[in-house]
């Protein structure tokens, strides 16, 4: 549980904060817009709910925290206005790990609460989405963007055998790479299955889920998708070498 509490994006609104450095994530959320709108149309057309609960899992902080739920709320307003349907009351629930900067998120929620009718009730649900978060059959729409690639823990067979995810020794790293990739792939399958099982319990019958996460186009372990990690390692390695050189001179 300690690792879950420590893991979070940089807090606040400073130059190095997540709020100021999350444009890539914002672009991905924009791609989800039409999917969320379609989900809302389906919910409003088939279920005709008097109230609607919407949850964003892995909301993080900053402007992105409200992006998906804001799209959903606007879509509800537009659909009900166009088809002259009674507008449901909306409850928006934002989830992330306990270490998330919820202070910033709560301040942003005020703008959503001030939106036009229907009544928009907001709430925070701290905790891992690899565990139960909501009551059974309560959610109408679940959204999640750029979050499900985060696993709850490293693969047990790697930690048990003390195999690092990224070995400092290049030869050892390349030799173990297939084992490491397979271990993480299996861990992801296990946890994604768990995620789906948990959300199936929390969604109402006919509920919707819109999820976006990164992936690879190729099964080739040397594909371009892993090269940014190698570049980052090289940068950190050079920085580490320079620090040691400076310490020696001092």
């Amino acid at each position: 549980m300690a690792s879950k509490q420590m893991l979070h994006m940089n807090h606040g609104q400073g130059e190095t904060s997540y709020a100021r450095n999350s444009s890539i994530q914002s672009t991905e959320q924009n791609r989800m817009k039409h999917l969320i709108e379609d989900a809302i149309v389906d919910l409003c057309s088939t279920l005709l709910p008097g109230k609607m609960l919407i949850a964003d899992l892995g909301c993080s902080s900053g402007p992105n925290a409200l992006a998906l739920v804001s799209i959903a709320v606007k879509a509800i307003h537009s659909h009900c206005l166009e088809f002259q349907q009674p507008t449901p009351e909306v409850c928006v629930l934002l989830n992330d790990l306990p270490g998330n900067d919820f202070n910033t998120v709560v301040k942003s929620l005020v703008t959503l609460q001030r939106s036009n009718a229907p009544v928009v009730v907001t709430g925070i649900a701290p905790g891992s989405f690899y565990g139960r978060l909501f009551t059974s059959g309560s959610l109408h729409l679940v959204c999640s963007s750029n979050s499900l690639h985060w696993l709850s823990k490293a693969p047990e067979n790697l930690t048990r055998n003390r195999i690092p995810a990224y070995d400092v020794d290049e030869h050892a790293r390349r030799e173990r790479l297939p084992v490491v990739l397979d271990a993480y792939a299996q861990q992801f399958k296990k946890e994604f299955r768990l995620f789906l099982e948990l959300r199936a319990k929390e969604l109402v019958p006919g509920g919707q889920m819109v999820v976006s996460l990164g992936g690879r186009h190729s099964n080739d372990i040397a594909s371009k998708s892993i090269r940014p990690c190698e570049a980052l390692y090289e940068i950190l390695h050079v920085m580490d070498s320079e620090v040691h050189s400076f310490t020696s001179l001092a």
Side-chain angles (χ1 to χ4, degrees):
M1 186 63 186
S3 61
K4 293 180 182 179
Q5 292 174 338
M6 289 187 294
L7 182 62
H8 57 77
M9 301 302 180
N10 282 353
H11 291 172
Q13 300 285 337
E15 288 296 323
T16 61
S17 67
Y18 175 83
R20 298 282 293 275
N21 296 275
S22 53
S23 58
I24 294 176
Q25 293 88 335
S26 177
T27 299
E28 185 60 33
Q29 288 178 326
N30 290 334
R31 293 196 186 102
M32 298 172 67
K33 184 174 184 291
H34 74 282
L35 297 173
I36 294 174
E37 291 172 340
D38 289 346
I40 290 298
V41 169
D42 187 70
L43 287 168
C44 291
S45 302
T46 58
L47 299 184
L48 299 174
K51 61 180 179 180
M52 192 175 295
L53 274 70
I54 302 167
D56 183 347
L57 307 187
C59 67
S60 197
S61 61
N64 289 352
L66 296 184
L68 300 183
V69 293
S70 295
I71 292 171
V73 170
K74 290 177 183 178
I76 293 170
H77 289 189
S78 298
H79 177 85
C80 293
L81 183 64
E82 180 180 355
F83 294 93
Q84 298 183 341
Q85 289 182 210
T87 309
E89 294 184 351
V90 179
C91 178
V92 168
L93 303 167
L94 300 180
N95 155 262
D96 213 308
L97 293 175
N100 186 51
D101 185 6
F102 283 117
N103 287 333
T104 302
V105 173
V106 169
K107 292 175 183 177
S108 302
L109 282 173
V110 175
T111 60
L112 204 58
Q113 292 172 330
R114 290 174 179 169
S115 61
N116 296 327
V119 176
V120 177
V121 179
T122 59
I124 300 294
S128 170
F129 47 55
Y130 293 120
R132 281 294 299 272
L133 293 167
F134 311 103
T135 56
S136 299
S138 60
L139 299 179
H140 293 82
L141 175 65
V142 172
C143 301
S144 183
S145 176
N146 288 291
S147 297
L148 282 170
H149 58 280
W150 293 105
L151 304 178
S152 67
K153 59 182 179 181
E156 292 182 1
N157 61 322
L158 295 186
T159 55
R160 184 172 56 251
N161 296 306
R162 298 184 179 181
I163 300 175
Y166 200 89
D167 204 300
V168 176
D169 181 83
E170 183 177 358
H171 176 73
R173 181 173 70 250
R174 294 188 179 279
E175 188 176 71
R176 292 173 174 173
L177 187 56
V179 174
V180 172
L181 291 180
D182 181 67
Y184 273 94
Q186 294 305 316
Q187 184 73 16
F188 173 78
K189 289 179 183 179
K190 176 183 177 181
E191 298 200 347
F192 189 57
R193 185 181 296 110
L194 174 62
F195 175 87
L196 295 177
E197 290 173 353
L198 294 169
R199 304 296 80 81
K201 294 177 181 178
E202 296 168 346
L203 281 165
V204 301
Q208 300 273 337
M209 186 159 63
V210 181
V211 173
S212 171
L213 66 161
R216 289 172 32 171
H217 294 290
S218 173
N219 289 325
D220 181 4
I221 61 174
S223 65
K224 294 180 180 179
S225 60
I226 64 173
R227 290 180 185 174
C229 295
E230 293 183 353
L232 178 60
Y233 166 75
E234 293 298 333
I235 292 170
L236 294 174
H237 181 69
V238 170
M239 290 172 63
D240 181 65
S241 300
E242 290 179 353
V243 169
H244 279 84
S245 297
F246 177 81
T247 302
S248 300
L249 289 173

